[in-house]
Amino acid sequence: MWIYEKKLEYPVKIKNPNPKLAQVIISQLGGPDGELAASMRYLHQRYSCPYDEVTGILTDVGTEELAHLEMVAAILHQLTRNMSEEEIKNSPFATYFVDHTAGVYPVAASGVPFDMKYVGVKGDMLTDLYEDLAADATIT
Amino acid sequence: MIDNRNARMNSGMQNNCGGGCNDASCQNLKKKLKIVDFSIIDTALYLNAYPNCAEALEHYHRLIGEKEALVAEINEKCGPMTMYGNKSRTEWNWVDGPWPWEADAN
């Protein structure tokens, strides 16, 4: 596996930094219902899947979630360009900044780093698809 | 902070428009590619669920034709879209900026 295409799946062009917003959006990167969790979930569930069509969907959507991961990272990267000291200090982003500065690190808004415990893989297609419904249908 | 990005571009090495090309015409070509790719993805996902849909498959091939033409043009004029598309025999443009997550690339 592996071709990397040097473009975002959908454009991201942010004019003004906003660390306050970054602090919330970061859950879409490293949180339990974020893109990293989604891609790990689908890519690992496909190995035990008995139907080609479903394996195809898990493969394609699983890799697409990596593309989404890149878009969210792009959003976070652009939101945290050239922040002033005031902007950092006066936002909840300050605690993230201590350990990561303007780096992009998969963590939830709560500060909990990404955990594979968010992902369920039971080796049974129906069980795994229910897990997918629970995760992807969640409204954050 | 050390910023060595685009050092090769700034060192004066040339290809069609000076390192990894991001001028208006290249940005325009890449935008068209992003649009057609978005359609291809949706069509392919649909075909995953309905592999016997002849109409969807026909639509897919039409879009792929468009994509292939765009990729060939972009690889030639602007720099490679994938690791497999570096056309220059003298430059490794694959590592040239801007990178997809930077505002300039969007």
Side-chain angles (χ1 to χ4, degrees):
Chain A
M1 116 138 118
W2 164 41
I3 296 175
Y4 177 77
E5 226 176 347
K6 205 169 176 182
K7 61 172 171 59
L8 293 185
E9 192 183 353
Y10 194 89
V12 170
K13 201 173 184 93
I14 294 172
K15 288 199 194 97
N16 303 309
N18 190 339
K20 256 191 179 151
L21 193 54
Q23 177 56 28
V24 176
I25 288 180
I26 200 137
S27 256
Q28 199 58 31
L29 193 79
D33 305 308
E35 310 293 347
L36 184 53
S39 69
M40 291 300 101
R41 190 175 288 120
Y42 303 145
L43 290 174
H44 286 91
Q45 286 175 356
R46 64 196 174 122
Y47 299 118
S48 51
C49 187
Y51 295 101
D52 284 342
E53 294 89 341
V54 182
T55 306
I57 293 176
L58 289 170
T59 297
D60 292 343
V61 178
T63 49
E64 184 176 0
E65 299 291 3
L66 290 172
H68 294 175
L69 186 68
E70 192 185 45
M71 283 192 280
V72 177
I75 292 171
L76 292 164
H77 171 78
Q78 291 181 27
L79 283 174
T80 54
R81 296 296 87 212
N82 307 314
M83 297 177 285
S84 70
E85 200 178 316
E86 286 312 300
E87 273 178 304
I88 299 167
K89 273 192 180 158
N90 296 333
S91 79
F93 191 72
T95 43
Y96 173 93
F97 190 85
V98 172
D99 292 318
H100 309 293
T101 69
V104 178
Y105 178 76
V107 78
S110 59
V112 176
F114 177 75
D115 196 324
M116 202 55 76
K117 293 190 199 67
Y118 302 148
V119 170
V121 179
K122 294 295 192 189
D124 173 79
M125 187 188 78
L126 290 178
T127 311
D128 286 347
L129 288 174
Y130 276 114
E131 151 90 6
D132 298 345
L133 276 176
D136 228 329
T138 303
I139 301 163
T140 310
Chain B
M1 192 170 18
I2 298 168
D3 189 346
N4 201 44
R5 293 175 305 145
N6 298 327
R8 287 177 52 256
M9 193 165 103
N10 295 333
S11 76
M13 297 179 91
Q14 298 289 312
N15 73 353
N16 291 313
C17 49
C21 186
N22 199 37
D23 69 10
S25 79
C26 280
Q27 284 185 15
N28 196 39
L29 285 171
K30 286 182 186 176
K31 184 177 179 184
K32 288 187 177 156
L33 177 62
K34 289 172 193 181
I35 291 170
V36 79
D37 271 350
F38 210 69
S39 302
I40 292 169
I41 290 166
D42 268 359
T43 310
L45 288 173
Y46 177 83
L47 282 161
N48 280 340
Y50 303 100
N52 299 313
C53 179
E55 199 183 327
L57 195 53
E58 200 185 301
H59 188 66
Y60 168 87
H61 281 290
R62 205 173 336 120
L63 293 169
I64 290 292
E66 282 179 41
K67 178 191 168 80
E68 283 173 350
L70 281 166
V71 170
E73 198 178 347
I74 292 168
N75 281 343
E76 199 55 54
K77 295 181 180 169
C78 314
M81 285 312 297
T82 71
M83 195 168 65
Y84 304 98
N86 198 87
K87 294 297 163 199
S88 168
R89 300 282 177 145
T90 52
E91 318 246 321
W92 186 241
N93 293 122
W94 173 237
V95 298
D96 291 334
W99 289 87
W101 51 88
E102 292 167 13
D104 287 345
N106 289 278

